[in-house]
Amino acid sequence: VNKNELTLSSDVPTRTSYDFLGWSTSSTDTSATYSAGGNYTSNDSVTLYAIWKIKTYTISYDANGGS
């Protein structure tokens, strides 16, 4: 069986408030199997899903003597 080596685009998609982790073959994965610009080998049709991680922020307040 011939397998084709394919290269993913190195363009990284964007989504507000999320970091792009990579691509996976399951829409429910939380970690990526493939990275942007990476290679994969397949002889079947494959659907790849973008894997995202929500950004987290730390906010500190200075009440400047207030309460």
Side-chain angles (χ1 to χ4, degrees), residues 20-46:
F20 174 71
L21 300 180
W23 302 99
S24 184
T25 56
S26 172
S27 62
T28 59
D29 282 349
T30 57
S31 62
T33 306
Y34 306 103
S35 59
N39 295 323
Y40 69 99
T41 304
S42 178
N43 62 347
D44 297 319
S45 251
V46 175

Side-chain angles (χ1 to χ4, degrees), residues 3-5 11 14 19 21 23 26 37 43 46 50:
K3 291 193 176 197
N4 298 312
E5 184 169 311
D11 293 339
T14 59
D19 289 322
L21 300 180
W23 302 99
S26 172
N43 62 347
V46 175

Side-chain angles (χ1 to χ4, degrees):
V1 175
N2 289 337
K3 291 193 176 197
N4 298 312
E5 184 169 311
L6 305 167
T7 302
L8 296 169
S9 172
S10 59
D11 293 339
V12 175
T14 59
R15 181 178 177 191
T16 302
S17 299
Y18 287 83
D19 289 322
F20 174 71
L21 300 180
W23 302 99
S24 184
T25 56
S26 172
S27 62
T28 59
D29 282 349
T30 57
S31 62
T33 306
Y34 306 103
S35 59
N39 295 323
Y40 69 99
T41 304
S42 178
N43 62 347
D44 297 319
S45 251
V46 175
T47 300
L48 295 177
Y49 299 90
I51 305 300
W52 302 98
K53 180 179 179 188
I54 194 163
K55 291 182 178 184
T56 58
Y57 301 92
T58 301
I59 299 174
S60 299
Y61 293 96
D62 181 353
N64 199 22
S67 58

